[in-house]
Amino acid sequence: MAAAALQPVPASAPMSDEDAAGQAYFDRIIAEDSRIEPTDWMPEAYRKTLMRQISQHAHSEIIGMQPEANWITRAPSLKRKSILMAKVQDEAGHGLYLYSAAETLGTPRDVLNQQLLDGKAKYSSIFNYPARSWADMGAIGWLVDGAAIANQVPLCRASYGPYGRAMVRICKEESFHQRQGFEILLELSHGTPEQKQMAQDAVNRFYAPALMMFGPPDDDSPNSKQSMAWNIKRFSNDELRQRFVGMIAEQVKVLGLTLPDPELRFDEETGKWIHMELDWQEFKDVIAGRGPCNAQRLARRREAHENGAWVREAARAYAEKQNNKRKAGAA
Amino acid sequence: MSNQPNIWPLWEVFVRSSRGLSHVHAGSLHAPDAEMALRNARDLYTRRNEGVSIWVVPSDAITASDPDAKGSFFESPQGKDYRHATYYTKSEGVKHL
Amino acid sequence: MSTHQDHSLDSFGDAAASATRVTPGNALRPEDIALQTDRPTEDVAQYALRLGDDSLVLAQRLGHWISRGPEIEEDIALGNIALDLLGHARSFLTYAGHAWDKTEDDLAYWREEDEFRSAWIFEQPNGDFGVTIARQLVVSVFQRLLYSRLVNSTDATIAAISAKALKEVDYHRDHATQWTLRLGDGTEESHRRMQEALELMWPYVDELFDDDELTERIGAVGVLPSSLRAEFDAEIAAVLDEATLTLPAVPRASGGGRRGEHTEHLGYLLAEMQVLARKHPGATW
């Protein structure tokens, strides 16, 4: 079976009968394109891959709140303020859905959170770019959420049940995020010359980072093959990037803006979109912590966590007191 | 349940989406106690009118069937076709049966 | 006030609309109010402006918490409360604006500090989570009592907005109460912080219950703030007692928000809120 073939058992550690049976069962579920559930036997590498992917995804939602929260207090109309608040709040919710899925794999949220605060866990590098103008709220919604949706829709069918279910919920909610972003840009591009310029500038800055959200090219993405064999990933990075760039190339016309990509064209012969060379060195730098906002984003997360410690402690202490009272009352 | 003083325990959330339907598992969340768990569940899982009633249960209070015992636990009903109406073919076509 | 005339509400001016859209208990939206054609009198508009400004200023304060809460679950809870308040503000401001041909955004973004009619407690800084909860406790208990009377306002629109708001502030009160109990009767540190937070907030409580010429003139359109005081005191006393906290005995601040005289905090709050809109006069968003 394909999945088993990609999971060589080291000769030094022969599988126990139990593990062999588990592996066979797991392989059958994957081959049938059915779902693995939390209490099922699963290969350790599968568990680790999922844990890494889901927790990174959760961290991205939580860190991703910051560039947009940055504009809640300055949103230029009350309607936009409501929309933005609801959106950032949704992201907190999405983070929680995902942590909830990650926890079913056996690692508690506080451990995952600590990995984030210690700088040991990764999150989507796009959120290490600053949201400089109001138009960035548009570009983030249209391009960043757009790319996220393109990534996430296939994940609704991920082989790990809790992950797929979290993604279904998230995808339903995300479609509003992309639309509101698009409409912000639409409004700006039909507004004053300064507004249109603001919109174009935001698109210029977020275009390449958004394309990089799909991850490195297929020939430089060592983990992709295994993830696809396990039915976690359904399409390769380049396939998803293709699909996305094709969509935004059309949508940008409605906006009356341009994409900052002189090489962008549809190649009739191959049926593929050609886009500019992306700066993968920058991508790696930002992931490694050298982006414009990495330090700021983590500092804010740590600050919230530390400032909240006394509150969390108080609530637990209160719960314990109440429990004791109840027990004393019952005795 | 964690013993660290500032970490909240995990709760499973079940939401009844409308009257007449069962509560269905929606996911989990952290909360210091049941009262706050209910409120957090309301804010997290029913932001878009998804529910009319919520249950919260401490995650460690749930007892699950043993996944390794799948065969002995869940395969016994297989082969007992006579539990299903479709098994009884001779009465097919008789009205109101 | 500016003469800026930007009607950015999508549905503004829909000819098919009528005042009958507004019914108490419906999920009333600011967009529905905007479709109404009846103009409030100057007094009613001024009263609606107070209600709107209270909620707007507080929503602006609470909006800052999102991504900074003590736990992510609480980011969502505070976000919900801020969204509710912003909804109330938009409805009241839209209604008030009908008197002067202004939109909610004209009123929110193009008035000066001394044109805001919010009471002082709403503009007090967030402080730590305890301070925010102390402010929430006072405000939500007050607003619940207020809206529970205003559902019977002789002004149909104020009654309708209040009916929607009442259910929401009832939840805000529950949220604030739950947290007051947990912080008050949690750890030694949380008890100390919560008591300090109450002391910090209490000078601004009395202003909420000041009657003035407007509240006397409008009669049954509104409610005399002083008439809510006894119930407020009883409710607060019960919560503080259960939370093992003490009612602060501190002198009241003079107040003056209803006349447009504010504490030093409002200027900064408005500067931040208005900066972008004011950079682009006449723009739509």
Side-chain angles (χ1 to χ4, degrees):
Chain A
M1 248 171 256
L6 283 160
Q7 265 299 295
V9 181
S12 56
M15 254 191 183
S16 67
D17 286 353
E18 212 176 305
D19 283 353
Q23 179 77 56
Y25 183 74
F26 174 86
D27 289 342
R28 198 177 77 229
I29 300 274
I30 296 294
E32 286 169 355
D33 200 1
S34 181
R35 298 291 178 266
I36 300 293
E37 293 296 342
T39 49
D40 287 337
W41 188 95
M42 60 187 92
E44 216 29 54
Y46 177 82
R47 184 187 298 274
K48 267 194 191 150
T49 298
L50 274 171
M51 179 60 85
R52 196 188 55 226
Q53 181 171 337
I54 301 173
S55 61
Q56 279 180 11
H57 197 159
H59 297 329
S60 301
E61 296 280 357
I62 299 305
I63 295 288
M65 294 165 70
Q66 291 184 32
E68 291 175 292
N70 183 38
W71 282 92
I72 289 177
T73 51
R74 289 177 294 169
S77 77
L78 297 185
K79 185 175 91 175
R80 291 285 171 213
K81 192 190 287 288
S82 310
I83 294 169
L84 188 60
M85 236 189 239
K87 179 179 186 242
V88 178
Q89 195 202 26
D90 269 354
E91 278 150 13
H94 297 173
L96 290 184
Y97 302 156
L98 288 159
Y99 282 128
S100 160
E103 284 193 272
T104 63
L105 290 161
T107 308
R109 189 165 106 201
D110 59 285
V111 173
L112 300 173
N113 188 44
Q114 199 56 49
Q115 291 168 354
L116 174 67
L117 299 183
D118 291 345
K120 286 181 192 148
K122 294 195 172 73
Y123 54 85
S124 184
S125 67
I126 192 100
F127 301 116
N128 289 316
Y129 292 89
R132 292 206 179 98
S133 79
W134 170 253
D136 290 13
M137 299 304 96
I140 289 175
W142 177 47
L143 294 174
V144 177
D145 291 316
I149 292 169
N151 252 328
Q152 288 167 357
V153 168
L155 286 174
C156 295
R157 293 187 293 126
S159 58
Y160 188 58
Y163 191 28
R165 291 192 286 276
M167 291 318 308
V168 168
R169 191 177 273 274
I170 290 173
C171 285
K172 273 189 203 161
E173 299 185 357
E174 286 269 356
S175 52
F176 125 65
H177 295 184
Q178 192 185 14
R179 281 193 184 193
Q180 65 85 35
F182 186 84
E183 289 188 14
I184 287 176
L185 290 176
L186 194 65
E187 195 79 46
L188 293 176
S189 76
H190 290 93
T192 65
E194 292 83 10
Q195 283 181 304
K196 184 163 187 181
Q197 183 52 45
M198 196 194 287
Q200 185 61 60
D201 172 63
V203 170
N204 291 351
R205 280 181 291 114
F206 278 95
Y207 173 71
L211 290 197
M212 289 195 273
M213 283 175 71
F214 296 96
D218 294 347
D219 48 18
D220 190 24
S221 181
N223 299 325
S224 282
K225 266 206 189 91
Q226 177 65 79
S227 279
M228 288 175 78
W230 277 330
N231 292 344
I232 298 173
K233 228 172 137 66
R234 300 282 177 167
F235 299 96
S236 78
N237 294 354
D238 285 330
E239 282 170 335
L240 290 169
R241 192 169 9 247
Q242 273 287 315
R243 185 180 301 185
F244 176 66
V245 87
M247 288 190 296
I248 60 171
E250 290 305 312
Q251 292 166 353
V252 77
K253 294 177 192 162
V254 182
L255 288 176
L257 299 171
T258 56
L259 294 173
D261 185 347
E263 292 163 52
L264 185 65
R265 67 186 174 84
F266 185 71
D267 188 54
E268 299 283 355
E269 233 166 77
T270 58
K272 281 188 174 172
W273 285 88
I274 311 285
H275 59 77
M276 68 187 193
E277 196 68 33
L278 297 167
D279 184 352
W280 292 106
Q281 189 52 48
E282 176 184 312
F283 180 76
K284 283 173 190 159
D285 280 347
V286 176
I287 285 194
R290 292 187 287 274
C293 298
N294 301 57
Q296 178 194 335
R297 301 285 186 244
L298 280 186
R300 159 87 79 86
R301 217 39 250 150
R302 279 190 208 110
E303 195 188 341
H305 188 71
E306 283 159 19
N307 289 345
W310 70 273
V311 177
R312 296 191 300 275
E313 263 169 51
R316 270 212 72 159
Y318 177 83
E320 256 156 56
K321 282 186 197 175
Q322 295 297 310
N323 262 340
N324 293 341
K325 271 187 208 166
R326 221 166 286 142
K327 275 181 207 155
Chain B
M1 221 179 256
S2 169
N3 290 319
Q4 279 172 270
N6 68 13
I7 292 164
W8 293 344
L10 189 66
W11 301 77
E12 300 300 323
V13 178
F14 300 81
V15 176
R16 183 200 295 286
S17 57
S18 72
R19 291 187 168 277
L21 297 179
S22 302
H23 286 77
V24 172
H25 185 238
S28 64
L29 50 73
H30 288 263
D33 53 44
E35 284 170 305
M36 295 304 280
L38 266 184
R39 287 161 177 81
N40 290 348
R42 174 253 195 197
D43 288 339
L44 181 58
Y45 289 105
T46 65
R47 288 197 305 289
R48 289 177 170 78
N49 288 318
E50 293 97 332
V52 295
S53 164
I54 299 174
W55 291 344
V56 291
V57 182
S59 300
D60 58 8
I62 290 181
T63 308
S65 59
D66 181 357
D68 295 331
K70 267 195 187 81
S72 52
F73 224 74
F74 295 113
E75 281 174 25
S76 149
Q78 289 176 23
K80 297 190 173 74
D81 307 13
Y82 48 82
R83 281 189 191 274
H84 301 270
T86 48
Y87 180 76
Y88 303 92
T89 50
K90 286 185 182 158
S91 46
E92 232 167 66
V94 181
K95 279 183 182 174
H96 309 302
L97 253 186
Chain C
M1 276 185 216
S2 147
T3 51
H4 172 69
Q5 287 289 319
D6 149 34
H7 294 180
S8 61
L9 288 172
D10 296 341
S11 46
F12 204 100
D14 182 344
S18 80
T20 55
R21 287 174 68 96
V22 176
T23 56
N26 257 8
L28 182 66
R29 305 165 312 146
E31 283 85 350
D32 299 323
I33 313 273
L35 295 175
Q36 280 190 277
T37 44
D38 50 340
R39 257 171 201 269
T41 64
E42 176 68 20
D43 273 357
V44 172
Q46 287 294 345
Y47 188 67
L49 194 63
R50 291 180 177 188
L51 299 170
D53 283 349
D54 283 353
S55 294
L56 175 61
V57 169
L58 186 57
Q60 178 74 5
R61 281 283 184 234
L62 290 176
H64 186 77
W65 269 107
I66 304 174
S67 78
R68 292 178 172 88
E71 191 50 282
I72 302 165
E73 278 84 353
E74 195 52 33
D75 276 354
I76 299 180
L78 289 173
N80 263 356
I81 294 171
L83 274 173
D84 288 344
L85 290 166
L86 192 52
H88 310 162
R90 293 181 60 198
S91 291
F92 282 124
L93 292 183
T94 300
Y95 185 47
H98 277 334
W100 312 300
D101 291 323
K102 302 274 183 202
T103 66
E104 56 179 47
D105 287 339
D106 294 337
L107 293 175
Y109 291 92
W110 297 91
R111 273 182 305 155
E112 300 302 324
E113 193 180 328
D114 60 7
E115 293 171 290
F116 275 77
R117 292 290 177 267
S118 46
W120 285 7
I121 194 163
F122 299 96
E123 67 208 44
Q124 295 310 305
N126 285 338
D128 66 11
F129 187 70
V131 173
T132 288
I133 290 301
R135 192 182 58 202
Q136 280 306 110
L137 180 69
V138 172
V139 164
S140 60
V141 169
F142 167 74
Q143 286 190 328
R144 198 194 65 88
L145 290 170
L146 178 66
Y147 291 134
S148 71
R149 305 295 197 282
L150 288 181
V151 294
N152 300 317
S153 168
T154 50
D155 184 282
T157 306
I158 286 186
I161 300 170
S162 300
K164 161 90 170 137
L166 178 60
K167 291 178 205 149
E168 295 176 344
V169 297
D170 194 30
Y171 188 78
H172 304 174
R173 183 190 57 145
D174 174 74
H175 173 266
T177 303
Q178 296 300 331
W179 273 116
T180 303
L181 296 177
R182 279 156 186 77
L183 299 182
D185 195 16
T187 61
E188 243 172 73
E189 182 187 4
S190 72
H191 179 84
R192 175 182 57 77
R193 283 183 185 249
M194 193 60 207
Q195 187 63 47
E196 282 170 12
L198 293 172
E199 311 280 335
L200 206 60
M201 218 37 77
W202 234 254
Y204 310 105
V205 171
D206 282 3
E207 183 190 10
L208 292 171
F209 301 95
D210 287 344
D211 300 334
D212 67 2
E213 284 176 14
L214 179 66
T215 54
E216 271 157 25
R217 243 183 0 246
I218 57 171
V221 166
V223 52
L224 276 182
S226 61
S227 70
L228 306 172
R229 186 65 199 245
E231 264 183 88
F232 174 88
D233 285 344
E235 244 184 79
I236 292 285
V239 176
L240 295 191
D241 183 53
E242 196 185 338
T244 71
L245 294 162
T246 321
L247 191 76
V250 291
R252 70 167 280 173
S254 65
R258 305 299 186 204
R259 298 187 302 274
E261 294 159 13
H262 290 278
T263 66
E264 290 169 348
H265 304 297
L266 187 66
Y268 290 96
L269 181 145
L270 294 181
E272 186 177 3
M273 185 174 85
Q274 297 175 334
V275 60
L276 177 61
R278 288 188 171 210
K279 234 193 241 177
H280 302 270
T284 58
W285 301 95

